[in-house]
């Protein structure tokens, strides 16, 4: 308990070491909370329609305007954030974790095992995603966790390849060979050389995967998997907004802003953390 | 270094603007209009150009330019007119049609169109081994049913060619709309020698429909077909009615993305679009209707009910659901394309039919019906699942309907989004409660709509079966006069709407953009075109004024706000 | 080297085989069939169609026939586009997608690496501006970027066509739209690892010894390129086989649309055609990527068995 508290405090001190990153962190925190407790913060129920006003521009009652069914865009962004945060973070975390471990194990294994593991990745790449999702839905029915499985099924592959390539490169570098010669064991090398060199890239990949995953979720709902209407998600909000971008730009601009701002802040915080990690590990 | 970069970029942008400002400004549409080439957005890539195999409007449009059947149609009234047959006689019992083939009807390779071509084409289309999707259109023809079931060989079809220019058709029963039916592409002739040469009569993958092989008998001949790019047809100088073909060529572009299509239209790459995204209708309307065209279309958008699930097996529940939808509001606030609210299943004026308002929108009466059905508390109905396939419009309509049911009846509907194959599968296996559906008439007669609900119809997915309905439909088939037939059909529809296996929502309209350059375009409720009398005037404004109009439209919009 | 490539190619054969077998059986379990329509066919017609295409045989029989035809290079007719064979369609479409994807790949590589290198070496505003730009590239999906580009450069300025694939200039907007996302990934990946390498002792020592910044950067990038190379393999395969969204926005007759539409139409033969092209690309590019890794670091070459 105490240890984790200390870790948390250390994390905060890193994040707040410059103002910009601190602001990003606060933005993320507030957004996360607001989405989690959307019932409390949202001015309207997410499905409440007003067909007569249709897509109307931002005004005092609807600060971000309304969509074609006259639903409050601000409310829908908050509710949509729930599923998108969950999918964005959890699915990404799982995909990245699996990918990173797989890649590392593959690179550190004997050549034959490495080759076999990578051919498996090739196969998984080539399976058509649309059909995979439709089949998964037949077998498991439609459920929320299936979204994570479906997204995980594609997103870990690139991660695995990147991590494996880097690990291969690092483990054959002079300094690693030298420290091996000096009697450093497997775990020591992992801790001292491989992980610190990987962590930055893994974090970059993770932050870049988040928006792709959020958009992928809207493709899944195209196939019938994912949140069911009238519940929104950021992916579907952006996609629908794009349809109306000329006539009701607020339907695209606001969801897209939150979408991009989240990624920007995430990236900023991630970069800061990875830099801090690097220092701690290498010194 | 950074400054230098910025300077370089700015300079090159400046140069580019100057260069482009001086570039020639004629658009593709204008150049094409000068050459008499109509550039037409045509929805999707045609799956086939074989008249017997065509299923969608995408294919039908092109095929109607390439071929003509025994009977043609007037493009504004859809009345049957002479085509490959110059005239015809009907026997007194209404069961035998004798067509006289026009002496001037020739194939594009110079051969005369003969009754043998029809004999060949019809036997081919009705052959069960060929598997033509629309073979069931032949059902009124003598022996067709047995042939389709494989009990008789195709040459037993009730058709004859006693002479090269005489074609006789015998029907099982009088079919008042038979001549309308003959306009469908499945009845068109195909050039026997060419079909045989490139794959044979029963090959669905025959290469005879490729540009280098195709021989046709219509106003145009197939010039080019590049998948994903376009299909081009050129004027057929040997066509019997060539004087009415004013276009030099038509190019059909397969653009399935409606926004792409509109942008291409605005950029002057198309004379006409196939449709307009509903998000863009309002903007097009603000231009003062200069490009936007809306015309009624013979189709109905409806919700299909599975009448064999509880609580929907109770007709009162079904009717309550139907009565509590505000169709006007959906049309005015969501669709915005001039659609008509559907209070019946058959569109008004379909083949001269007078539609009655058979659904009354009345939330209070709907609640009373639910009460009578024993659902004092609407929550006892449980969750009612409303499924739809993924598409731009189905979702907002379903969301609106869900809200209407919830606010006026207190019913809890659950929306269920399905991919296309899953949607079709669920529907066929009757694995749904309520599902989105639509029906576009094949020919201009109410039967095209009502026959789906015969208990024998394979298209009847609702589980609805009524002896009363079946027998009225049967007597309508035997009706002596037009009025009697219409009266009986109307009675049949009343039975249908009383039993309520469907909730009609709206009747379709065709919504498209057309350049003022296009002259003589006729609209009809099937959106069939023979391109006769259509011409292009390159000097009628299109894109320059489009730009101007758009700017002024934006200004007025801003003022409005 | 040649032996390594040969070994990989031999290894690719069973991989390819597993993929097509898996997909062949997978598609048969998707609900519905190639002849499902909203307007349902009569059972007789359906039976005739199934018989015509040999879909009424048992699955193993169909599979064996598929393999037999495949050995003659025949993928059969498309179920949807009836008068075209799948090989013909795939060949035609792949040509378009290769051109578009090739251009996009070049843009993504040049823009991504340049952007990444500048932001890794530079400091302050330029660096963070480029960084933000690449983030924007990731956040802005193609279905937003494409229409905006068309709106500006086609409708407002009239420089390019709004759709189509006929003139040489038709490649510009779609390839930029397609490249943006990948360029952003490449830039971020490269920047991150290049900055890390530049901060390492060997780079600092080299610089202290008076080596030019460029040479130090070049030396560092040998290691820094590794994640980019690994990323490029699937990215290049993705770009070269076309993208559904970009092709739909610009109405380009490429292969990308078929990946989705053939699956939704249950056009079995077409699905197999698409999957085979994609699998071939993935396998080839992964071999190329491994060779590139080996070239960047001779020891990796040893590790992989490229050189003994």
């Amino acid at each position: 308990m105490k240890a984790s508290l200390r870790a948390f405090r250390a994390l905060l001190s890193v994040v707040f070491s410059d103002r910009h990153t601190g602001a990003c962190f606060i933005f993320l925190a507030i957004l996360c909370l607001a989405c989690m407790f959307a019932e409390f913060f949202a001015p309207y129920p997410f499905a409440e329609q007003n067909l007569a006003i249709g897509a109307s521009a931002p005004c005092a009652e609807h600060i971000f305007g309304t969509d074609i069914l006259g639903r409050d865009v601000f409310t829908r962004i908050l509710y949509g954030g729930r599923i998108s945060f969950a999918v964005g973070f959890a699915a990404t975390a799982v995909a990245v974790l699996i990918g990173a471990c797989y890649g590392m194990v593959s690179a550190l294994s004997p050549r034959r095992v490495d080759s076999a593991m990578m051919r498996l990745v090739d196969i998984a790449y080539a399976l058509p995603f649309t059909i995979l999702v439709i089949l998964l839905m037949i077998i498991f029915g439609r459920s929320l966790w299936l979204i994570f499985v479906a997204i995980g099924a594609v997103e870990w592959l690139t991660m695995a390849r990147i991590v494996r390539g880097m690990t291969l490169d690092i483990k054959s570098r002079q300094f690693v060979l030298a420290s091996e010669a000096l009697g450093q064991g497997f775990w020591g090398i992992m801790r001292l050389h491989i992980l610190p060199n990987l962590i930055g890239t893994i974090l970059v990949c993770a932050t870049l995967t988040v928006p792709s995953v959020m958009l992928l979720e809207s493709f899944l709902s195209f196939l019938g998997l994912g949140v069911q209407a009238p519940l929104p998600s950021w992916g579907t909000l952006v996609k629908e907004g794009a349809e109306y971008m000329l006539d009701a730009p607020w339907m695209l601009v606001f969801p897209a802003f939150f979408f991009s701002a989240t990624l920007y802040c995430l990236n900023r915080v991630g970069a800061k953390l990875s830099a801090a990690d690097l220092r701690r590990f290498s010194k | 270094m950074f400054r230098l970069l910025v300077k370089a970029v700015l300079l090159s942008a400046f140069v580019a603007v100057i260069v482009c400002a001086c570039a020639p400004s004629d658009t593709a549409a204008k150049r094409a209009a000068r050459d008499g080439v109509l550039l037409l957005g045509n929805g999707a890539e045609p799956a086939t150009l074989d008249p017997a195999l065509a299923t969608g409007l995408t294919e039908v449009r092109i095929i109607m330019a390439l071929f003509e059947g025994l009977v043609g149609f007037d493009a504004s009234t859809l009345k049957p007119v002479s085509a490959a047959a110059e005239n015809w006689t009907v026997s007194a019992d209404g069961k035998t049609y004798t067509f006289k083939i026009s002496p001037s009807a020739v194939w594009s390779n110079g051969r005369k169109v003969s009754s043998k071509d029809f004999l060949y084409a019809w036997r081919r289309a009705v052959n069960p081994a060929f598997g033509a999707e629309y073979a069931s259109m032949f059902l009124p023809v003598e022996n067709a049913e047995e042939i389709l079931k494989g009990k008789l060989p195709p040459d037993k079809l009730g058709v004859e060619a006693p002479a090269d220019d005489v074609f006789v058709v015998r029907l099982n029963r009088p079919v008042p709309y038979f001549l309308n039916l003959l306009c469908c592409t499945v009845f068109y002739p195909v050039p026997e020698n060419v079909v045989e040469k490139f794959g044979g009569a029963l090959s669905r993958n025959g290469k005879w429909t490729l540009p280098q092989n195709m021989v046709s008998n219509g106003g145009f001949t197939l010039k080019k077909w590049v998948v994903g790019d376009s299909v081009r047809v050129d004027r057929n100088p040997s066509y019997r009615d060539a004087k009415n073909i004013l276009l030099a060529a038509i190019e059909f572009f397969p653009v399935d993305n409606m926004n792409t299509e509109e942008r291409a239209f605005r950029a002057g790459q198309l004379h006409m679009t196939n449709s307009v995204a509903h998000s863009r209708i309002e903007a097009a309307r603000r231009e003062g209707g200069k490009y936007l065209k809306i015309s009624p279309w013979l189709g109905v958008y409806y919700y299909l009910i599975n009448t064999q699930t509880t609580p929907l097996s109770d007709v009162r529940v079904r009717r309550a659901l139907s009565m509590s939808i505000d169709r006007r509001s959906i049309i005015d606030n969501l669709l915005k394309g001039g659609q008509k609210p559907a209070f019946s299943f058959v569109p008004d004026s379909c083949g001269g039919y007078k539609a009655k308002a058979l659904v009354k929108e009345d939330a209070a009466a709907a609640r009373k019906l639910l009460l009578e059905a024993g659902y004092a508390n609407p929550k006892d109905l449980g969750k009612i699942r409303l499924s739809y396939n993924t598409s731009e419009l189905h979702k907002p309509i379903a969301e609106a309907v869900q809200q209407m049911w919830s606010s006026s009846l207190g019913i809890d509907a659950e929306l269920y989004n399905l991919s296309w194959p899953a949607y079709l599968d669920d529907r066929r296996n009757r694995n749904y409660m309520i599902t989105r559906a639509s029906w576009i008439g094949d020919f201009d007669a109410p039967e095209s709509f009502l026959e789906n609900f015969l208990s024998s119809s394979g298209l009847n997915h609702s589980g609805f079966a009524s002896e009363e309905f079946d027998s009225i439909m049967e007597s309508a088939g035997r009706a002596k006069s037009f009025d009697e037939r219409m009266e009986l059909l109307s009675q049949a529809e009343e039975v249908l709407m009383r039993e309520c296996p469907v909730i009609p929502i709206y009747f379709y309209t065709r919504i498209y953009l057309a350049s003022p350059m296009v002259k003589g375009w006729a609209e009809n409720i099937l959106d069939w075109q023979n391109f006769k009398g259509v011409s292009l005037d390159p000097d009628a404004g299109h894109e320059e004024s489009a730009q101007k109009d758009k700017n002024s439209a934006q200004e007025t919009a801003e003022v409005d706000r | 080297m040649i032996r390594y490539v040969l070994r990989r190619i031999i290894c690719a054969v069973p991989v390819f085989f597993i993929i097509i077998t898996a997909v062949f059986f997978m598609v048969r379990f998707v609900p519905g069939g190639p002849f499902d329509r909203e307007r349902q066919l009569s059972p007789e017609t359906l039976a005739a169609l199934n018989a015509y295409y040999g879909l009424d045989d048992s699955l193993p029989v169909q599979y064996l026939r598929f393999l037999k035809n495949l050995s003659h290079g025949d993928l059969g007719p498309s179920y949807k586009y009836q008068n075209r064979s799948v090989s013909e369609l795939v060949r035609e479409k792949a040509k378009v997608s290769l051109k578009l994807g090739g251009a996009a790949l070049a843009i993504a590589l040049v823009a991504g690496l340049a952007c990444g290198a500048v932001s890794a070496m530079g400091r302050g505003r330029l660096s963070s501006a480029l960084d933000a730009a690449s983030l924007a590239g990731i956040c802005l999906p193609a279905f937003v970027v494409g229409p905006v580009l068309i709106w500006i450069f086609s409708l407002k300025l009239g420089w390019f066509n709004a759709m189509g694939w006929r003139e040489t200039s038709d490649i510009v907007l779609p390839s930029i739209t397609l490249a943006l996302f990948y360029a952003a990934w490449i830039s971020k990946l490269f920047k991150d690892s290049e900055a890390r390498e530049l901060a390492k002792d060997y780079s600092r020592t080299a610089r202290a010894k008076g080596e030019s910044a460029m040479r130090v950067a070049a030396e560092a990038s040998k290691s820094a390129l590794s994640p980019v190379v690994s990323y490029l393999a699937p990215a290049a395969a993705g770009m070269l086989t076309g993208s559904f969204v970009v092709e739909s926005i610009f109405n380009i007759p490429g292969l990308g649309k078929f990946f989705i539409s053939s699956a939704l139409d249950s056009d079995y033969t077409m699905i197999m055609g698409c999957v085979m092209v994609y699998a071939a690309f993935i396998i080839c590019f992964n071999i190329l990527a491994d060779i590139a890794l080996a070239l960047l670091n001779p020891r990796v070459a040893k590790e992989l068995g490229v050189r003994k």
Side-chain angles (χ1 to χ4, degrees), chain A residues 62-79:
Chain A
H62 302 282
I63 50 168
F64 291 169
T66 56
D67 71 0
I68 51 162
L69 289 156
R71 297 178 295 201
D72 185 57
V73 172
F74 177 57
T75 304
R76 292 182 67 76
I77 289 176
L78 289 186
Y79 278 96

Side-chain angles (χ1 to χ4, degrees), chain A residues 70-150:
Chain A
R71 297 178 295 201
D72 185 57
V73 172
F74 177 57
T75 304
R76 292 182 67 76
I77 289 176
L78 289 186
Y79 278 96
R82 261 186 202 179
I83 180 76
S84 289
F85 268 107
V87 170
F89 290 115
T92 303
V94 172
V96 165
L97 214 67
I98 295 177
C101 293
Y102 192 93
M104 254 188 295
V105 170
S106 178
L108 297 173
S109 303
R111 195 197 303 157
R112 272 168 198 283
V113 179
D114 172 50
S115 172
M117 284 176 82
M118 280 301 122
R119 296 302 78 75
L120 205 67
V121 170
D122 288 356
I123 293 172
Y125 260 126
L127 297 182
F129 184 61
T130 319
I131 291 172
L132 199 69
V133 172
I134 294 177
L135 284 182
L136 281 175
M137 273 198 301
I138 299 174
I139 302 169
F140 299 107
R142 53 181 74 202
S143 59
L144 214 54
W145 65 266
L146 198 56
I147 302 178
F148 297 87
V149 175

Side-chain angles (χ1 to χ4, degrees), chain B residues 216-260:
Chain B
S216 63
N217 72 330
F220 295 85
T221 52
L222 185 62
K223 178 77 181 165
K224 191 187 86 172
W225 180 5
V226 181
V227 175
D229 180 68
S230 75
V231 175
R232 181 180 165 126
V233 298
D234 280 3
R235 185 169 182 271
N236 178 3
S238 60
Y239 177 53
R240 60 166 187 92
D241 194 17
K243 63 174 191 304
N244 280 321
I245 303 291
L246 307 176
L247 294 169
I250 310 171
E251 221 172 321
F252 297 90
F253 290 87
V255 198
D256 42 20
N257 183 326
M258 288 188 267
N259 290 312
T260 301

Side-chain angles (χ1 to χ4, degrees), chain B residues 165-211:
Chain B
D165 59 349
V166 180
F167 187 64
V168 180
V169 185
R170 288 189 307 275
L171 306 181
N172 317 322
R173 57 181 169 92
V175 177
Y177 50 88
F178 186 63
L179 290 175
N180 302 69
L181 210 57
L182 286 183
C183 298
C184 297
T185 63
V186 74
F187 295 101
Y188 285 10
V190 293
E192 174 172 0
N193 52 343
V194 184
V195 174
E196 289 296 332
K197 190 170 161 197
F198 298 103
L202 298 184
S203 167
R204 294 175 62 89
N205 316 113
K207 300 283 180 197
W208 77 274
T209 44
L210 293 179

